[in-house]
Amino acid sequence: MWTPTAKRVYYLGKSVPFLPRHAGIHVWRWFPVMTHTKKAVLPSFLSLLVVICALSPHVSASWKERVLYSFQGVPDGSLPVGGIVFDSAGNLYGATTEGGSSSCVSVAQCGTVYQLAPPARQGGPWTETVLYVFKGNASQDGASPAGGLVMDSAGNLYGTTAYGGTGNCVLLGTLMGCGTVFEISPPKQKGGKWTETVLYSFPTAKQGYLPNGDLVFDGAGNLYGATQYGGGHGTTCNGFYQYCGAVFELSPPKTKGGKWTEKVLHGFGSGTDGAAPNGGLVLDGKGNVYGTTFGGGNESGQCGKGGCGTAFELKPPTVKGGAWTEKILHRFDRGSSDGGNPSAGLVLDSKHNLYGTTLNGGPGLYGTVFRLASPSGKSGSWTEAILYGFKDNDEHGADPMSGLRLDSTGDLYGTTNGGGGGFSGGNAFKMSPPTRMGPWTLNVLHTFTGNPDGNSPAAAPIFDKLGNLYGTTQNGGIGTNCSFQGCGTVFELKP
């Protein structure tokens, strides 16, 4: 017998899955009775040869952490989500799923975009400014960001909201909108207000529903992203939403004042195909797009209905106007020899190898860091290796929900949403490749402990020019207008 426990949101008196799987709320744990503890991630949208590296022992190499800001909840933001970005002046920018206002028609609050300005003197406090509060579909605006921000060369910010806009998507009988892609532009004069523009409202679920994760630019200024649902394919991924997810391209207007144009590059069908794609896509020099899906792929064995997720490649058409071609690079198996249910995108190294994380599975059953090595020949297959397997409630961390950050020396940086030993709230970690043939080495940089520290990080950290790391935690901090776990933080880690 299996007993599920999950955190859910009640909307109109009914329990529905909360929007961002990446916000630590879409995670389901299943505890088998009369046997060893085992974990699976089975949201409602419910292998290959694996080369496993020996797991290296934990090596302590703590960095100095500082909480730069604790979110306070309405009218401030709460539940920071996705990646943060720096501008040339050293200001940080990000988005929060909740906070700002509670007036939106959504399963969450309206959400915000914020700026953190560095102190005028060393050691002083950072200053937060809420740049924009979303208004929801009643104002033809987005609601509830479910991904971070990207910035163009002019300092404009781009992101997505999971709900809102002018689309016709309905949830539990209420018009919610299908989500938006937005731009936030800096003021033309110092001291002025930032301006939000909805670049695209997903009109129906067929074009995409519930965009999530970070966007990415190509060299021509096109934006690429993913929607957790929608896309026009698959019918059994979720009882509350339509279809099984899509990867889309959003192209800028050819003339000033024109409209951005969306194209669905691939609609996922579940089954042996993926389902519920994560954002945070990565592009190579040939224009190929790489990413992961949370579900689909392998629906046999421990994976069951819903699947364990996939890693995929989308190739651009060879002729103008042709279709993009999907190739499944790996179907996860969620056993002791493979991870399952990746919750974030991939990173690409100079040798064309891909790296990522899975939320569960692997030798320790609580998630993995993996590598997909590119094929040596044109007809070869990608080869997966487990670089690290997390265990439950130990000092290494557990449940990695974030993607990874790759530095110039080949080291990987990431976070775990849980673990860290005792009642800790996740870790920030560094993984270093072997000098020759040995295993990769995992160093815990910081263990989050909750109020006044952060708790439950779920996004990959970023570097500043000096090699310091910056990131967010979903909970924790000293904010009091949220749950007992706090409203989330922005943190800095110095070596």
Side-chain angles (χ1 to χ4, degrees):
M1 187 175 89
W2 297 82
T3 304
T5 61
K7 186 174 180 182
R8 298 169 71 82
V9 169
Y10 287 84
Y11 179 74
L12 297 180
K14 296 184 179 180
S15 174
V16 299
F18 183 62
L19 57 99
R21 180 176 56 247
H22 315 77
I25 297 176
H26 224 67
V27 178
W28 291 63
R29 291 193 191 281
W30 299 78
F31 299 97
V33 178
M34 302 298 291
T35 183
H36 65 280
T37 301
K38 199 175 190 177
K39 183 189 69 160
V41 176
L42 295 173
S44 50
F45 48 76
L46 296 185
S47 148
L48 299 169
L49 173 65
V50 179
V51 180
I52 303 179
C53 295
L55 302 185
S56 63
H58 165 74
V59 180
S60 178
S62 293
W63 291 23
K64 185 178 180 181
E65 189 238 16
R66 179 188 178 194
V67 174
L68 303 183
Y69 186 73
S70 289
F71 293 94
Q72 302 298 308
V74 176
D76 190 18
S78 64
L79 198 73
V81 63
I84 53 177
V85 292
F86 274 110
D87 68 12
S88 58
N91 300 303
L92 279 168
Y93 300 86
T96 66
T97 294
E98 295 201 23
S101 172
S102 58
S103 64
C104 292
V105 179
S106 181
V107 299
Q109 294 166 344
C110 302
T112 71
V113 172
Y114 63 88
Q115 176 198 69
L116 277 180
R121 56 179 177 81
Q122 188 174 1
W126 287 62
T127 304
E128 190 232 20
T129 303
V130 175
L131 303 182
Y132 189 73
V133 175
F134 292 94
K135 300 179 178 65
N137 62 337
S139 299
Q140 299 185 341
D141 193 16
S144 309
L149 302 174
V150 295
M151 179 181 286
D152 67 15
S153 58
N156 301 302
L157 301 167
Y158 300 81
T160 63
T161 64
Y163 294 101
T166 58
N168 68 359
C169 294
V170 173
L171 180 64
L172 297 178
T174 300
L175 180 65
M176 292 284 197
C178 305
T180 72
V181 178
F182 65 83
E183 175 186 6
I184 304 279
S185 300
K188 295 180 180 179
Q189 296 181 344
K190 188 175 182 180
K193 291 184 178 182
W194 289 63
T195 304
E196 188 240 17
T197 303
V198 174
L199 302 181
Y200 185 74
S201 284
F202 293 88
T204 72
K206 189 173 183 179
Q207 286 78 31
Y209 186 6
L210 209 157
N212 74 116
D214 301 347
L215 299 168
V216 61
F217 275 109
D218 68 10
N222 301 302
L223 285 166
Y224 296 81
T227 63
Q228 192 168 334
Y229 304 107
H233 295 274
T235 58
T236 59
C237 288
N238 188 284
F240 296 98
Y241 301 90
Q242 294 170 274
Y243 309 122
C244 295
V247 170
F248 66 88
E249 176 188 37
L250 197 62
S251 300
K254 296 179 180 179
T255 58
K256 189 175 180 179
K259 294 182 178 181
W260 288 64
T261 306
E262 191 238 17
K263 179 180 180 180
V264 174
L265 305 185
H266 182 71
F268 293 90
S270 192
T272 57
D273 193 12
N278 302 299
L281 304 168
V282 61
L283 281 66
D284 68 13
K286 297 180 180 179
N288 301 308
V289 177
Y290 300 88
T292 62
T293 66
F294 185 85
N298 179 9
E299 294 191 343
S300 63
Q302 295 190 67
C303 296
K305 186 177 180 181
C308 289
T310 70
F312 64 85
E313 175 187 29
L314 292 175
K315 287 182 174 291
T318 55
V319 295
K320 189 175 181 179
W324 287 64
T325 304
E326 183 213 26
K327 179 181 179 181
I328 299 294
L329 307 182
H330 184 69
R331 291 180 175 90
F332 295 95
D333 196 33
R334 198 175 59 216
S336 61
S337 61
D338 195 11
N341 304 110
S343 289
L346 301 166
V347 293
L348 186 69
D349 72 9
S350 59
K351 297 180 181 179
H352 217 260
N353 300 309
L354 294 164
Y355 299 83
T357 63
T358 64
L359 183 59
N360 55 46
L365 299 181
Y366 275 73
T368 69
V369 177
F370 67 87
R371 177 185 64 208
L372 287 173
S374 59
S376 56
K378 289 185 178 180
S379 60
S381 59
W382 292 69
T383 305
E384 189 212 29
I386 301 297
L387 306 183
Y388 196 81
F390 295 96
K391 301 176 182 179
D392 180 31
N393 198 32
D394 76 354
E395 61 184 3
H396 304 92
D399 309 327
M401 297 179 71
S402 78
L404 300 169
R405 194 72 61 192
L406 183 68
D407 72 11
S408 59
T409 65
D411 293 329
L412 297 167
Y413 297 79
T415 61
T416 63
N417 193 253
F423 295 98
S424 301
N427 285 338
F429 66 85
K430 171 185 175 181
M431 288 202 66
S432 300
T435 53
R436 294 184 180 176
M437 294 296 293
W440 285 64
T441 303
L442 185 144
N443 292 329
V444 174
L445 306 181
H446 178 71
T447 297
F448 297 94
T449 57
N451 185 336
D453 193 13
N455 182 20
S456 305
I462 63 168
F463 289 102
D464 68 7
K465 296 177 182 179
L466 300 176
N468 303 311
L469 282 172
Y470 297 79
T472 61
T473 64
Q474 300 169 311
N475 305 122
I478 59 174
T480 57
N481 292 334
C482 305
S483 71
F484 69 95
Q485 293 182 328
C487 303
T489 72
V490 178
F491 64 85
E492 172 190 62
L493 284 171
K494 288 189 174 184

